[in-house]
Amino acid sequence: MNLGINLSFAIKRWVEPPVWARFVRETLGLELVQFTYDLLDPWWPEASRRPMAAEVRKAAQDWGLHIESAFSGLANYCFDGLLHPDPAGRNASLEWWKRAFDVAAEVGAKASGGPLGGMSISDASNPKRREQRYRDLLDAVAELSEAARAAGLDRLQVECTPLAREIPYAVDQAKAILNDLEGRCAVELKLLVDIGHALYQPLFGPGARMPGWLYGLGDSIGAFHLQNTDFQSDSHWGWPDRRGLFDVAGFASEVRAAGLEDVPAFIEIIYPFELADEEVRQNITSTAMHCRREYAGEILYSVQEA
Ligand code: MN
Ligand code: FE
């Protein structure tokens, strides 16, 4: 199994690249990393951004980490992205994505990704505008794939989100967008499936299970996000967590049965900003150990609490 970690746990805490890099390698015992744009915003002026990205690349090299991709975090997800009702808003998002590709390449990643965007209530409830937003989205992704290739990337990763006003949110819709973009993209287009999104019961019902996603999307899945959840929220909790119900070992079996064991799975835990640093350090450490045992099947005799 291919287990890694998204750097979401580190934001506003372990910000310096050598600090998170050492922590991921020495304390968490992981080598595979998904960089988050919450640590380095693509909007920052290029002159400041470039040396910062170079530091990320160097820290990853120094600590033997592989940055597989760079990904949208909390900050960019607040915005409407490529589905903004105003063309100026959509253009701004295109620009953000293109800058993000530069950052991804600068930190040494071969892929960039995130959720594509969300429609306004007004657009989503108007069938004509809804259809137009979708058509424009296809054009936007095709255009972005050219920019991704020009930046030196070889993959775009699109995250499925648990909101019906966002695209894509469900298996059929994710398949449709890939179909509709078939032959139009300059780099490979892959889906990222976050288990907390895929199993969100208020949207998908109490019967939602991962095999529906795994067999439905198959090798269109480029990566997973792992989190602990109660299936009633997009929880992004770690382990242990009294509220969490997600069975990582069971998921690992489902992934293997579907033949997707080589797909990278990134732990993506989001802690409240106000939570004590020591609690976060302990929880992300126990989370990594839990997933190494339950997902990757590692035999760990002791939990290292450096
Ligand atoms: Mn996610
Ligand atoms: Fe999420």
Side-chain angles (χ1 to χ4, degrees):
M1 306 300 276
N2 203 359
L3 179 69
I5 193 160
N6 178 294
L7 296 178
S8 56
F9 73 91
I11 63 172
K12 299 186 85 170
R13 288 191 171 88
W14 299 284
V15 180
E16 302 86 347
V19 173
W20 58 249
R22 177 178 186 172
F23 184 77
V24 167
R25 184 66 197 255
E26 284 195 344
T27 305
L28 305 184
L30 295 167
E31 291 169 23
L32 184 68
V33 165
Q34 185 172 63
F35 186 74
T36 172
Y37 295 121
D38 283 346
L39 285 169
L40 204 174
D41 191 332
W43 279 126
W44 291 347
E46 212 176 307
S48 2
R49 197 192 71 198
R50 278 181 175 254
M52 294 175 81
E55 258 196 78
V56 169
R57 190 187 190 118
K58 180 174 187 303
Q61 270 161 9
D62 289 349
W63 289 95
L65 302 177
H66 173 218
I67 302 182
E68 189 266 351
S69 50
F71 215 77
S72 258
L74 291 175
N76 189 251
Y77 189 53
C78 288
F79 297 102
D80 311 275
L82 299 168
L83 291 171
H84 196 288
D86 187 320
R90 299 197 291 278
N91 274 330
S93 179
L94 273 176
E95 177 65 26
W96 182 88
W97 276 87
K98 290 174 185 174
R99 286 167 179 248
F101 298 156
D102 292 336
V103 173
E106 286 160 12
V107 302
K110 279 297 189 188
S112 179
L116 294 178
M119 276 179 272
S120 68
I121 292 176
S122 169
D123 274 1
S125 54
N126 177 314
K128 259 184 87 176
R129 285 210 302 273
R130 197 184 170 96
E131 178 61 20
Q132 192 55 52
R133 287 287 69 74
Y134 181 64
R135 294 289 142 202
D136 292 345
L137 180 66
L138 297 178
D139 293 344
V141 175
E143 178 182 336
L144 285 178
S145 73
E146 300 281 349
R149 182 171 63 181
L153 306 184
D154 57 28
R155 254 166 319 127
L156 268 183
Q157 288 179 343
V158 171
E159 182 166 21
C160 304
T161 56
L163 279 88
R165 272 184 287 109
E166 303 196 349
I167 301 174
Y169 77 94
V171 172
D172 286 350
Q173 198 187 37
K175 283 207 283 209
I177 192 169
L178 291 183
N179 250 346
D180 291 339
L181 281 164
E182 181 93 52
R184 288 189 63 187
C185 287
V187 295
E188 215 179 359
L189 191 60
K190 290 277 191 180
L191 299 164
L192 183 142
V193 176
D194 182 319
I195 66 92
H197 303 180
L199 299 176
Y200 178 59
Q201 293 183 1
L203 184 61
F204 300 115
R209 297 289 181 273
M210 285 314 296
W213 291 83
L214 303 177
Y215 293 97
L217 300 176
D219 56 15
S220 304
I221 300 177
F224 297 111
H225 277 165
L226 292 179
Q227 53 158 303
N228 201 357
T229 174
D230 58 2
F231 311 116
Q232 304 305 318
S233 68
D234 182 15
S235 320
H236 288 281
W237 298 323
W239 287 269
D241 192 302
R242 266 178 293 120
R243 304 161 294 179
L245 299 170
F246 185 64
D247 170 15
V248 189
F251 177 57
S253 311
E254 292 168 342
V255 168
R256 263 194 306 270
L260 298 174
E261 59 271 22
D262 292 336
V263 171
F266 297 100
I267 298 165
E268 186 188 39
I269 311 304
I270 299 173
Y271 294 100
F273 292 127
E274 66 278 16
L275 191 62
D277 298 337
E278 181 54 23
E279 277 189 57
V280 175
R281 195 189 63 81
Q282 283 185 23
N283 191 266
I284 195 64
T285 304
S286 58
T287 295
M289 300 309 152
H290 182 78
C291 292
R292 284 173 58 189
R293 247 186 251 116
E294 305 281 307
Y295 189 78
E298 280 186 60
I299 297 162
L300 301 172
Y301 293 102
S302 65
V303 172
Q304 187 192 350
E305 299 263 337

